[in-house]
mmCIF file of all heavy atoms in Angstrom:
data_model
loop_
_atom_site.group_PDB
_atom_site.id
_atom_site.type_symbol
_atom_site.label_atom_id
_atom_site.label_comp_id
_atom_site.label_asym_id
_atom_site.label_seq_id
_atom_site.Cartn_x
_atom_site.Cartn_y
_atom_site.Cartn_z
ATOM 1 N N SER A 1 15.785 141.655 167.319
ATOM 2 C CA SER A 1 17.076 141.679 168.158
ATOM 3 C C SER A 1 16.741 142.198 169.614
ATOM 4 O O SER A 1 17.398 141.872 170.536
ATOM 5 C CB SER A 1 18.035 142.644 167.510
ATOM 6 O OG SER A 1 17.659 143.914 167.330
ATOM 7 N N ALA A 2 15.758 143.079 169.635
ATOM 8 C CA ALA A 2 15.393 143.628 171.015
ATOM 9 C C ALA A 2 14.874 142.544 171.992
ATOM 10 O O ALA A 2 15.314 142.380 173.110
ATOM 11 C CB ALA A 2 14.416 144.830 170.850
ATOM 12 N N SER A 3 13.940 141.621 171.409
ATOM 13 C CA SER A 3 13.404 140.554 172.331
ATOM 14 C C SER A 3 14.443 139.670 172.530
ATOM 15 O O SER A 3 14.545 138.998 173.650
ATOM 16 C CB SER A 3 12.156 140.027 171.655
ATOM 17 O OG SER A 3 12.522 139.458 170.444
ATOM 18 N N THR A 4 15.310 139.359 171.647
ATOM 19 C CA THR A 4 16.378 138.272 171.859
ATOM 20 C C THR A 4 17.352 138.733 172.865
ATOM 21 O O THR A 4 17.818 138.058 173.702
ATOM 22 C CB THR A 4 17.165 137.978 170.570
ATOM 23 O OG1 THR A 4 16.183 137.548 169.579
ATOM 24 C CG2 THR A 4 18.149 136.879 170.706
ATOM 25 N N HIS A 5 17.693 140.009 172.767
ATOM 26 C CA HIS A 5 18.785 140.602 173.754
ATOM 27 C C HIS A 5 18.040 140.554 175.196
ATOM 28 O O HIS A 5 18.788 140.240 176.154
ATOM 29 C CB HIS A 5 19.099 141.981 173.285
ATOM 30 C CG HIS A 5 20.016 142.666 174.442
ATOM 31 N ND1 HIS A 5 21.248 142.361 174.578
ATOM 32 C CD2 HIS A 5 19.750 143.717 175.312
ATOM 33 C CE1 HIS A 5 21.848 142.958 175.502
ATOM 34 N NE2 HIS A 5 20.944 143.884 175.838
ATOM 35 N N THR A 6 16.924 140.927 175.280
ATOM 36 C CA THR A 6 16.267 140.851 176.646
ATOM 37 C C THR A 6 16.281 139.488 177.246
ATOM 38 O O THR A 6 16.605 139.294 178.414
ATOM 39 C CB THR A 6 14.846 141.492 176.549
ATOM 40 O OG1 THR A 6 14.924 142.793 176.039
ATOM 41 C CG2 THR A 6 14.110 141.567 177.972
ATOM 42 N N ALA A 7 15.877 138.544 176.374
ATOM 43 C CA ALA A 7 15.869 137.162 176.850
ATOM 44 C C ALA A 7 17.264 136.720 177.328
ATOM 45 O O ALA A 7 17.351 136.049 178.347
ATOM 46 C CB ALA A 7 15.243 136.214 175.824
ATOM 47 N N ALA A 8 18.232 137.046 176.502
ATOM 48 C CA ALA A 8 19.573 136.626 176.790
ATOM 49 C C ALA A 8 20.092 137.244 178.137
ATOM 50 O O ALA A 8 20.823 136.650 178.846
ATOM 51 C CB ALA A 8 20.583 136.956 175.677
ATOM 52 N N THR A 9 19.780 138.541 178.334
ATOM 53 C CA THR A 9 20.196 139.220 179.478
ATOM 54 C C THR A 9 19.577 138.641 180.763
ATOM 55 O O THR A 9 20.235 138.444 181.748
ATOM 56 C CB THR A 9 19.813 140.730 179.440
ATOM 57 O OG1 THR A 9 20.385 141.246 178.336
ATOM 58 C CG2 THR A 9 20.241 141.525 180.638
ATOM 59 N N GLN A 10 18.307 138.241 180.711
ATOM 60 C CA GLN A 10 17.640 137.651 181.892
ATOM 61 C C GLN A 10 18.157 136.290 182.208
ATOM 62 O O GLN A 10 18.044 135.833 183.384
ATOM 63 C CB GLN A 10 16.090 137.708 181.675
ATOM 64 C CG GLN A 10 15.582 139.126 181.603
ATOM 65 C CD GLN A 10 14.150 139.057 181.321
ATOM 66 O OE1 GLN A 10 13.532 138.115 180.804
ATOM 67 N NE2 GLN A 10 13.446 140.185 181.564
ATOM 68 N N THR A 11 18.584 135.548 181.211
ATOM 69 C CA THR A 11 18.967 134.097 181.445
ATOM 70 C C THR A 11 20.559 134.016 181.746
ATOM 71 O O THR A 11 20.973 132.931 182.059
ATOM 72 C CB THR A 11 18.609 133.206 180.303
ATOM 73 O OG1 THR A 11 19.249 133.704 179.149
ATOM 74 C CG2 THR A 11 17.097 133.197 180.168
ATOM 75 N N GLN A 12 21.295 135.077 181.588
ATOM 76 C CA GLN A 12 22.752 134.940 181.752
ATOM 77 C C GLN A 12 22.989 134.792 183.352
ATOM 78 O O GLN A 12 22.447 135.402 184.196
ATOM 79 C CB GLN A 12 23.472 136.265 181.449
ATOM 80 C CG GLN A 12 24.916 136.163 181.557
ATOM 81 C CD GLN A 12 25.583 137.444 180.837
ATOM 82 O OE1 GLN A 12 24.962 138.386 180.594
ATOM 83 N NE2 GLN A 12 26.891 137.359 180.843
ATOM 84 N N THR A 13 23.924 133.848 183.697
ATOM 85 C CA THR A 13 24.148 133.438 185.015
ATOM 86 C C THR A 13 24.818 134.585 185.697
ATOM 87 O O THR A 13 25.835 135.039 185.226
ATOM 88 C CB THR A 13 24.992 132.261 185.099
ATOM 89 O OG1 THR A 13 24.360 131.175 184.449
ATOM 90 C CG2 THR A 13 25.356 131.825 186.518
ATOM 91 N N PRO A 14 24.365 135.045 186.979
ATOM 92 C CA PRO A 14 25.116 136.089 187.684
ATOM 93 C C PRO A 14 26.393 135.600 188.124
ATOM 94 O O PRO A 14 26.547 134.458 188.432
ATOM 95 C CB PRO A 14 24.154 136.397 188.900
ATOM 96 C CG PRO A 14 23.029 135.405 188.757
ATOM 97 C CD PRO A 14 23.096 134.522 187.577
ATOM 98 N N LEU A 15 27.383 136.548 188.179
ATOM 99 C CA LEU A 15 28.748 136.207 188.660
ATOM 100 C C LEU A 15 28.992 136.771 189.954
ATOM 101 O O LEU A 15 28.692 137.973 190.330
ATOM 102 C CB LEU A 15 29.773 136.815 187.626
ATOM 103 C CG LEU A 15 29.708 136.374 186.191
ATOM 104 C CD1 LEU A 15 30.701 137.067 185.251
ATOM 105 C CD2 LEU A 15 29.892 134.844 186.169
ATOM 106 N N VAL A 16 29.543 135.943 190.866
ATOM 107 C CA VAL A 16 29.960 136.346 192.225
ATOM 108 C C VAL A 16 31.415 136.830 192.100
ATOM 109 O O VAL A 16 32.265 136.080 191.729
ATOM 110 C CB VAL A 16 29.890 135.090 193.163
ATOM 111 C CG1 VAL A 16 30.354 135.554 194.626
ATOM 112 C CG2 VAL A 16 28.513 134.507 193.173
ATOM 113 N N VAL A 17 31.603 138.087 192.359
ATOM 114 C CA VAL A 17 32.984 138.669 192.168
ATOM 115 C C VAL A 17 33.770 139.035 193.443
ATOM 116 O O VAL A 17 34.885 139.154 193.337
ATOM 117 C CB VAL A 17 32.826 139.888 191.229
ATOM 118 C CG1 VAL A 17 32.350 139.605 189.832
ATOM 119 C CG2 VAL A 17 31.892 140.940 191.869
ATOM 120 N N ASN A 18 33.036 139.006 194.475
ATOM 121 C CA ASN A 18 33.739 139.454 195.849
ATOM 122 C C ASN A 18 32.827 138.940 197.101
ATOM 123 O O ASN A 18 31.670 138.951 196.890
ATOM 124 C CB ASN A 18 34.033 140.974 195.864
ATOM 125 C CG ASN A 18 35.024 141.285 196.904
ATOM 126 O OD1 ASN A 18 35.807 140.408 197.396
ATOM 127 N ND2 ASN A 18 35.197 142.577 197.305
ATOM 128 N N ALA A 19 33.495 138.783 198.214
ATOM 129 C CA ALA A 19 32.848 138.731 199.458
ATOM 130 C C ALA A 19 33.709 139.562 200.415
ATOM 131 O O ALA A 19 34.881 139.492 200.418
ATOM 132 C CB ALA A 19 32.799 137.297 199.896
ATOM 133 N N ARG A 20 33.010 140.283 201.265
ATOM 134 C CA ARG A 20 33.651 141.195 202.220
ATOM 135 C C ARG A 20 32.798 141.132 203.510
ATOM 136 O O ARG A 20 31.641 140.738 203.544
ATOM 137 C CB ARG A 20 33.893 142.543 201.596
ATOM 138 C CG ARG A 20 32.588 143.243 201.103
ATOM 139 C CD ARG A 20 32.945 144.326 200.077
ATOM 140 N NE ARG A 20 31.836 144.722 199.379
ATOM 141 C CZ ARG A 20 30.948 145.716 199.663
ATOM 142 N NH1 ARG A 20 31.107 146.333 200.772
ATOM 143 N NH2 ARG A 20 29.920 145.969 198.954
ATOM 144 N N TRP A 21 33.340 141.791 204.550
ATOM 145 C CA TRP A 21 32.695 141.854 205.836
ATOM 146 C C TRP A 21 33.116 143.072 206.524
ATOM 147 O O TRP A 21 34.095 143.755 206.193
ATOM 148 C CB TRP A 21 32.954 140.697 206.673
ATOM 149 C CG TRP A 21 34.460 140.428 206.797
ATOM 150 C CD1 TRP A 21 35.304 141.034 207.720
ATOM 151 C CD2 TRP A 21 35.261 139.633 205.901
ATOM 152 N NE1 TRP A 21 36.575 140.537 207.419
ATOM 153 C CE2 TRP A 21 36.575 139.789 206.354
ATOM 154 C CE3 TRP A 21 35.020 138.890 204.721
ATOM 155 C CZ2 TRP A 21 37.695 139.209 205.634
ATOM 156 C CZ3 TRP A 21 36.107 138.234 204.156
ATOM 157 C CH2 TRP A 21 37.370 138.397 204.655
ATOM 158 N N GLY A 22 32.340 143.432 207.621
ATOM 159 C CA GLY A 22 32.734 144.582 208.317
ATOM 160 C C GLY A 22 31.959 144.542 209.713
ATOM 161 O O GLY A 22 30.951 143.925 209.916
ATOM 162 N N GLY A 23 32.543 145.119 210.799
ATOM 163 C CA GLY A 23 32.010 145.273 212.089
ATOM 164 C C GLY A 23 31.374 146.538 212.236
ATOM 165 O O GLY A 23 31.897 147.659 211.838
ATOM 166 N N HIS A 24 30.238 146.633 212.899
ATOM 167 C CA HIS A 24 29.405 147.798 213.212
ATOM 168 C C HIS A 24 29.130 147.732 214.738
ATOM 169 O O HIS A 24 29.212 146.701 215.338
ATOM 170 C CB HIS A 24 28.135 147.810 212.348
ATOM 171 C CG HIS A 24 28.468 147.877 210.839
ATOM 172 N ND1 HIS A 24 28.646 149.061 210.224
ATOM 173 C CD2 HIS A 24 28.612 146.987 209.904
ATOM 174 C CE1 HIS A 24 28.971 148.807 208.987
ATOM 175 N NE2 HIS A 24 28.948 147.452 208.805
ATOM 176 N N PRO A 25 28.643 148.842 215.344
ATOM 177 C CA PRO A 25 28.359 148.891 216.766
ATOM 178 C C PRO A 25 27.481 147.902 217.268
ATOM 179 O O PRO A 25 27.732 147.219 218.350
ATOM 180 C CB PRO A 25 27.855 150.175 216.933
ATOM 181 C CG PRO A 25 28.448 151.103 215.925
ATOM 182 C CD PRO A 25 28.479 150.141 214.746
ATOM 183 N N THR A 26 26.397 147.455 216.436
ATOM 184 C CA THR A 26 25.433 146.441 216.924
ATOM 185 C C THR A 26 25.326 145.182 216.058
ATOM 186 O O THR A 26 24.542 144.245 216.430
ATOM 187 C CB THR A 26 24.056 147.152 217.121
ATOM 188 O OG1 THR A 26 23.752 147.590 215.717
ATOM 189 C CG2 THR A 26 24.135 148.232 218.039
ATOM 190 N N PHE A 27 26.183 145.095 215.063
ATOM 191 C CA PHE A 27 26.097 143.940 214.139
ATOM 192 C C PHE A 27 27.395 143.810 213.293
ATOM 193 O O PHE A 27 28.086 144.700 213.223
ATOM 194 C CB PHE A 27 24.896 143.962 213.312
ATOM 195 C CG PHE A 27 24.842 145.187 212.313
ATOM 196 C CD1 PHE A 27 25.378 144.925 211.040
ATOM 197 C CD2 PHE A 27 24.377 146.278 212.631
ATOM 198 C CE1 PHE A 27 25.390 146.078 210.087
ATOM 199 C CE2 PHE A 27 24.528 147.409 211.800
ATOM 200 C CZ PHE A 27 25.027 147.297 210.535
ATOM 201 N N ASP A 28 27.568 142.575 212.952
ATOM 202 C CA ASP A 28 28.576 142.209 211.861
ATOM 203 C C ASP A 28 27.928 142.068 210.576
ATOM 204 O O ASP A 28 26.798 141.447 210.648
ATOM 205 C CB ASP A 28 29.491 140.972 212.313
ATOM 206 C CG ASP A 28 30.298 141.256 213.380
ATOM 207 O OD1 ASP A 28 30.380 142.404 213.939
ATOM 208 O OD2 ASP A 28 30.782 140.202 214.041
ATOM 209 N N ARG A 29 28.543 142.445 209.485
ATOM 210 C CA ARG A 29 27.915 142.310 208.189
ATOM 211 C C ARG A 29 28.832 141.518 207.253
ATOM 212 O O ARG A 29 30.009 141.701 207.102
ATOM 213 C CB ARG A 29 27.676 143.728 207.572
ATOM 214 C CG ARG A 29 27.200 143.731 206.129
ATOM 215 C CD ARG A 29 26.730 145.018 205.803
ATOM 216 N NE ARG A 29 25.459 145.349 206.373
ATOM 217 C CZ ARG A 29 24.760 146.463 206.331
ATOM 218 N NH1 ARG A 29 25.289 147.535 205.614
ATOM 219 N NH2 ARG A 29 23.635 146.621 206.925
ATOM 220 N N ILE A 30 28.172 140.676 206.431
ATOM 221 C CA ILE A 30 28.767 139.993 205.282
ATOM 222 C C ILE A 30 28.174 140.524 204.086
ATOM 223 O O ILE A 30 26.867 140.630 204.037
ATOM 224 C CB ILE A 30 28.465 138.387 205.404
ATOM 225 C CG1 ILE A 30 29.148 137.857 206.658
ATOM 226 C CG2 ILE A 30 29.057 137.726 204.168
ATOM 227 C CD1 ILE A 30 28.759 136.340 206.959
ATOM 228 N N VAL A 31 28.946 140.812 203.040
ATOM 229 C CA VAL A 31 28.321 141.264 201.775
ATOM 230 C C VAL A 31 29.024 140.459 200.700
ATOM 231 O O VAL A 31 30.193 140.324 200.546
ATOM 232 C CB VAL A 31 28.790 142.825 201.526
ATOM 233 C CG1 VAL A 31 28.223 143.302 200.146
ATOM 234 C CG2 VAL A 31 28.200 143.643 202.603
ATOM 235 N N ILE A 32 28.176 140.001 199.757
ATOM 236 C CA ILE A 32 28.553 139.246 198.521
ATOM 237 C C ILE A 32 28.200 140.044 197.354
ATOM 238 O O ILE A 32 27.087 140.337 197.134
ATOM 239 C CB ILE A 32 27.937 137.815 198.503
ATOM 240 C CG1 ILE A 32 28.252 137.048 199.735
ATOM 241 C CG2 ILE A 32 28.307 137.087 197.242
ATOM 242 C CD1 ILE A 32 27.568 135.758 199.939
ATOM 243 N N ASP A 33 29.220 140.501 196.602
ATOM 244 C CA ASP A 33 29.070 141.323 195.401
ATOM 245 C C ASP A 33 28.810 140.509 194.124
ATOM 246 O O ASP A 33 29.551 139.533 194.074
ATOM 247 C CB ASP A 33 30.357 142.306 195.266
ATOM 248 C CG ASP A 33 30.488 143.185 196.458
ATOM 249 O OD1 ASP A 33 29.538 143.829 196.792
ATOM 250 O OD2 ASP A 33 31.659 143.316 196.877
ATOM 251 N N LEU A 34 27.877 140.977 193.348
ATOM 252 C CA LEU A 34 27.521 140.291 192.090
ATOM 253 C C LEU A 34 27.520 141.112 190.959
ATOM 254 O O LEU A 34 27.364 142.325 190.993
ATOM 255 C CB LEU A 34 26.126 139.569 192.306
ATOM 256 C CG LEU A 34 26.034 138.732 193.352
ATOM 257 C CD1 LEU A 34 24.743 138.955 194.305
ATOM 258 C CD2 LEU A 34 25.835 137.298 192.822
ATOM 259 N N GLN A 35 27.810 140.475 189.803
ATOM 260 C CA GLN A 35 27.583 141.102 188.529
ATOM 261 C C GLN A 35 26.396 140.459 187.885
ATOM 262 O O GLN A 35 26.201 139.220 187.833
ATOM 263 C CB GLN A 35 28.757 140.894 187.473
ATOM 264 C CG GLN A 35 29.922 141.796 187.843
ATOM 265 C CD GLN A 35 31.117 141.640 186.869
ATOM 266 O OE1 GLN A 35 30.950 140.745 185.965
ATOM 267 N NE2 GLN A 35 32.117 142.377 187.024
ATOM 268 N N GLY A 36 25.381 141.271 187.370
ATOM 269 C CA GLY A 36 24.126 140.660 186.918
ATOM 270 C C GLY A 36 23.069 140.973 187.954
ATOM 271 O O GLY A 36 23.095 142.013 188.629
ATOM 272 N N TYR A 37 22.281 140.009 188.183
ATOM 273 C CA TYR A 37 21.145 140.104 189.147
ATOM 274 C C TYR A 37 21.503 139.272 190.364
ATOM 275 O O TYR A 37 22.399 138.452 190.318
ATOM 276 C CB TYR A 37 19.795 139.686 188.595
ATOM 277 C CG TYR A 37 19.791 138.253 188.112
ATOM 278 C CD1 TYR A 37 19.343 137.260 188.915
ATOM 279 C CD2 TYR A 37 20.211 137.879 186.809
ATOM 280 C CE1 TYR A 37 19.210 135.948 188.505
ATOM 281 C CE2 TYR A 37 20.132 136.521 186.435
ATOM 282 C CZ TYR A 37 19.662 135.622 187.272
ATOM 283 O OH TYR A 37 19.595 134.244 186.767
#
């Protein structure tokens, strides 16, 4: 079960859950939040 669980965890598709942005003094930033890797 340990080796099967590890393989399943590594192959599960990451989920995109949010996108956000912000302004900073010298740059603007885009951040995409994920569940998984």
Side-chain angles (χ1 to χ4, degrees):
S1 62
S3 61
T4 304
H5 176 69
T6 302
T9 302
Q10 291 175 346
T11 60
Q12 186 175 6
T13 302
L15 298 176
V16 177
V17 295
N18 194 20
R20 52 199 168 92
W21 53 87
H24 299 272
T26 58
F27 63 94
D28 292 345
R29 174 172 285 174
I30 298 169
V31 179
I32 299 171
D33 297 314
L34 297 131
Q35 285 181 357
Y37 61 94

